[in-house]
Amino acid sequence: MTMLDAAQHATTGALGWGVIGFGWVARDYAVPGLLGAGGRLVAVADPDAGARRHARTLGAEAHADADRLLADPAVQAVYVATPNHLHRAAVERAAAAGKPVLCEKPMAASLAEAEAMAATIRATGIRYGTAFDQRHHPAHAAIRAAIAAGAIGRVTAIRIAYACWVDAGWASDNWRADASRAGGGALIDLAPHGLDLVDYLLGEPVEEIAALTQQRVQRYAVDDGAMLVGRTASGVLVQLHVAYNCPEGLPRRQLEVLGTTGQLLAERTMGQAPGGKVWCIDGRLGLRTPLPVPEAEASPFLRQMDAFARWLRGEAQPDAFSLARDLHTMRLVERAYAAAGERRCR
């Protein structure tokens, strides 16, 4: 038996997944994560013939449309990884079929679509979560625990840089550069991760927000960079820099949490893969010591898929996934674009 066979079949009663949209995030990260967490890949729906062929090599049924996937009783949960503008239709069809859904961020290409999705989710009573993998990164879990233990005193500010290089030719179909499908550019794609991560680390969301966007480098009609500033209800200041115009070789993924007695600094943890380094810096002497990270090499996607399965079984905290929290993040994105004078996230 191969490792894939073992992952698919070793766990009795393992959660059977259907995947709608089989692009690189689903193929390279989410599916290995759900298999590693003991789940079964039952079916995939994607209009691309190459994607369907690849799904069959994993032992999954492959369909051009989601209807047959959603009608399959072996599909017990659905992961939606389509372009943003297709999230609403996929989630609503899954909800009509009574299937729990884990949907890639952002919830939708616009706040209006996210609100409509939420109404359907509430009406059908399905379990729903948005796939914010950064709250499942082992390094970020260690940072959260350190904050709660008072390692840096009272938190005063969080700074996040989450940037990359996405030019017009980045993919054969770069829908992230198409406002009608993505809902915007770097801001709607990358900032939701940071906003949700702040909520996870502090246990409270950003409430006030402002932003500026830029279209400075890449030749497409969406923002290729944005700077957001915000504040939580308790007064923690938040700064997010997100970009599609930052060369990959630069230090472009960094998380800093500042407190009254020290600082937590995470380098190269923002992203789909495990790893990176976390330092605790003493506020009096400036001494830097490594912060221990349990399960440091565990995939954020594996941890996310495992958390969703446990949540469905009632083995996780009730707020491990939260529709209300995800809608709040979408409203922050809407307000950020409005503050920047943009109208792509309507």
Side-chain angles (χ1 to χ4, degrees):
M1 179 177 286
T2 66
M3 290 182 64
L4 175 60
D5 292 332
Q8 287 268 37
H9 301 294
T11 304
T12 302
L15 187 65
W17 285 89
V19 175
I20 301 177
F22 203 52
W24 65 274
V25 171
R27 181 188 67 239
D28 298 345
Y29 296 102
V31 167
L34 71 87
L35 293 175
R40 296 180 296 113
L41 179 63
V42 175
V44 166
D46 195 292
D48 181 74
R52 295 197 300 275
R53 283 194 299 272
H54 184 73
R56 292 188 188 102
T57 69
L58 300 177
E61 296 290 329
H63 312 293
D65 184 83
D67 287 344
R68 290 176 63 189
L69 179 153
L70 294 172
D72 188 342
V75 173
Q76 300 166 299
V78 174
Y79 170 66
V80 175
T82 63
N84 298 347
H85 72 301
L86 301 176
H87 285 185
R88 177 185 175 184
V91 170
E92 290 183 343
R93 290 165 76 183
K99 309 283 190 182
V101 178
L102 180 64
C103 179
E104 265 303 326
K105 61 79 213 165
M107 279 187 70
S110 71
L111 177 60
E113 289 190 347
E115 296 278 12
M117 283 169 54
T120 300
I121 291 163
R122 294 187 184 109
T124 58
I126 66 158
R127 306 295 294 274
Y128 170 87
T130 303
F132 287 113
D133 54 270
Q134 294 307 293
R135 65 169 46 231
H136 301 280
H137 195 294
H140 299 157
I143 291 171
R144 182 191 193 198
I147 291 171
I152 57 170
R154 190 176 189 189
V155 175
T156 57
I158 294 182
R159 297 194 292 252
I160 296 175
Y162 194 15
C164 54
W165 184 270
V166 180
D167 59 32
W170 175 76
S172 58
D173 178 22
N174 188 8
W175 58 264
R176 286 174 176 80
D178 180 349
S180 67
R181 292 186 287 172
L187 194 159
I188 195 172
D189 188 32
L190 300 175
H193 274 309
L195 294 169
D196 182 75
L197 184 56
V198 168
D199 187 309
Y200 171 72
L201 295 176
L202 299 178
E204 64 168 340
V206 172
E207 296 290 352
E208 302 173 67
I209 198 161
L212 293 172
T213 58
Q214 63 183 174
Q215 289 175 269
R216 183 163 178 81
V217 177
Q218 310 298 0
R219 295 185 178 180
Y220 41 61
V222 295
D223 49 286
D224 65 357
M227 190 76 74
L228 294 77
V229 293
R231 182 165 55 195
T232 69
S234 71
V236 178
L237 297 177
V238 175
Q239 180 189 60
L240 305 178
H241 175 219
V242 296
Y244 285 165
N245 56 29
C246 183
E248 299 283 337
L250 298 181
R252 58 196 173 82
R253 299 191 177 192
Q254 188 159 294
L255 164 65
E256 300 173 71
V257 185
L258 289 82
T260 53
T261 63
Q263 178 181 4
L264 294 164
L265 171 63
E267 299 170 329
R268 301 186 305 281
T269 61
M270 300 290 296
Q272 293 89 1
K277 295 181 179 180
V278 185
W279 306 95
C280 186
I281 304 172
D282 178 79
R284 187 171 62 89
L285 300 175
L287 298 177
R288 175 185 294 208
T289 57
L291 182 73
V293 178
E295 301 180 68
E297 296 307 314
S299 159
F301 277 82
L302 185 156
R303 288 164 56 91
Q304 175 176 249
M305 296 308 194
D306 179 63
F308 191 75
R310 288 188 291 105
W311 184 60
L312 295 183
R313 296 193 299 263
E315 298 172 2
Q317 292 294 321
D319 65 347
F321 295 86
S322 167
L323 177 61
R325 185 172 63 223
D326 299 341
L327 277 172
H328 180 73
T329 298
M330 281 298 299
R331 294 185 185 112
L332 289 174
V333 170
E334 165 92 352
R335 286 159 51 193
Y337 270 120
E342 298 274 358
R343 300 189 181 275
R344 292 189 178 87
C345 192
R346 292 286 181 182

